[in-house]
């Protein structure tokens, strides 16, 4: 199902830039499943998992999932792309997704970025001054409603693949979940805001590379009440930015770009 870059091979119905085979925009940071140990300390400090975790048990869960993907003939090539391990339990997460972003994720990403880099900045920009609170919902058919429900009820451990749908337009990213319905021993969703912010908080230099341009990470599991707008994380030189921006090239034509990248989240 995935090519040599770890991107899903597009069907004929997908709008993609160049067959999902371009590699001009890339994430080169070498992330291992064992990085979950340091991630757990960071995420417990900010309330993305409670402090009563057993790091060895969680590592074993991450490693087991990684190995199951590695030996699955349909999925194994996804491991050629960036893979970010996580374990989350957030029972107090606000029910309003837009409010989650405003009150929790943006402040924690800014604080993490400011702590790591004195000369770089993080900022959030909303095109047209359109608000987030009360305006963000899960995309139907993306699996994201279930994912958010699970992390509020129990600890969820998984892997986030931020470039699984690189070069896909937003609609095509959101249409991919049915392709994974036959795989029964793991759960899937189109990645949204939680995993994207988590990845940037854990790896502040995820989208900063001295030698290559970085992709724009789309939070395609969620959508704004204005369907033209999409939530993304992007680099600007050495800086990092959250944008709610338009996906429209023309009034009736949406963006399709080799820089835009949607994620797939695999979890248990």
């Amino acid at each position: 199902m995935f090519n040599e870059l770890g991107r899903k091979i597009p069907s004929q119905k997908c709008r993609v830039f160049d067959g999902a085979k371009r590699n001009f925009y890339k994430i080169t940071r070498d992330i291992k499943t064992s990085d979950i140990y340091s991630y757990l300390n960071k995420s417990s400090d900010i309330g993305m998992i409670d402090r009563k975790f057993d790091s060895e048990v969680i590592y074993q869960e991450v490693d087991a999932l990684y190995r199951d993907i590695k030996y699955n003939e349909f999925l194994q090539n996804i491991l050629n792309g960036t893979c970010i391990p996580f374990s989350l339990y957030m029972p107090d997460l606000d029910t309003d997704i837009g409010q989650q972003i405003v009150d929790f994720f943006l402040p924690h990403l800014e604080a993490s970025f400011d702590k790591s880099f004195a000369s770089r900045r993080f900022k959030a920009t909303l095109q047209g001054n359109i608000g987030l609170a009360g305006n963000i919902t899960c995309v139907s058919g993306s699996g994201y409603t279930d994912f958010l429900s699970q992390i509020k009820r129990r600890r969820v451990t998984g892997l986030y693949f931020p470039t699984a749908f690189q070069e896909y337009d937003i609609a095509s990213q959101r249409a991919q979940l049915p392709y994974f319905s036959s795989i029964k021993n793991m759960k899937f969703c189109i990645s949204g805001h939680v995993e994207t912010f988590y990845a940037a908080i854990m790896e502040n230099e995820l989208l900063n590379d001295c030698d290559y341009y970085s992709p724009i990470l789309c939070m395609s599991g969620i959508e704004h009440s204005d369907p033209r707008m999409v939530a993304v994380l992007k680099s600007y030189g050495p800086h990092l930015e959250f944008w709610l921006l338009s996906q429209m090239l023309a009034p009736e034509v949406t963006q399709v770009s080799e820089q835009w990248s949607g994620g797939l989240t695999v979890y248990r």
Side-chain angles (χ1 to χ4, degrees), residues 39-79:
Y39 295 174
L40 287 169
N41 291 327
K42 292 182 183 178
S43 56
S44 65
D45 286 343
I46 63 174
M48 295 189 79
I49 190 172
D50 64 2
R51 295 185 180 276
K52 298 178 182 179
F53 61 81
D54 185 323
S55 59
E56 190 58 38
V57 168
I58 291 174
Y59 172 73
Q60 291 173 4
E61 293 171 351
V62 167
D63 188 59
L65 180 57
Y66 185 95
R67 284 186 284 107
D68 284 351
I69 292 171
K70 182 178 180 180
Y71 294 111
N72 184 298
E73 63 178 327
F74 299 106
L75 298 176
Q76 57 191 202
N77 279 357
I78 196 176
L79 298 175

Side-chain angles (χ1 to χ4, degrees), residues 108-155:
H108 280 301
L109 180 52
E110 182 176 21
S112 174
F113 206 76
D114 290 347
K115 183 178 179 180
S116 298
F117 310 113
S119 61
R120 304 178 192 174
R121 59 168 173 75
F122 169 77
K123 76 169 186 176
T125 301
L126 309 181
Q127 278 191 353
N129 294 316
I130 300 174
L132 295 174
N135 285 316
I136 304 290
T137 56
C138 296
V139 174
S140 177
S142 69
Y144 210 64
T145 298
D146 188 38
F147 177 75
L148 291 185
S149 174
Q150 295 292 344
I151 66 173
K152 292 183 71 171
R153 293 166 53 197
R154 57 173 63 87
R155 181 168 55 78

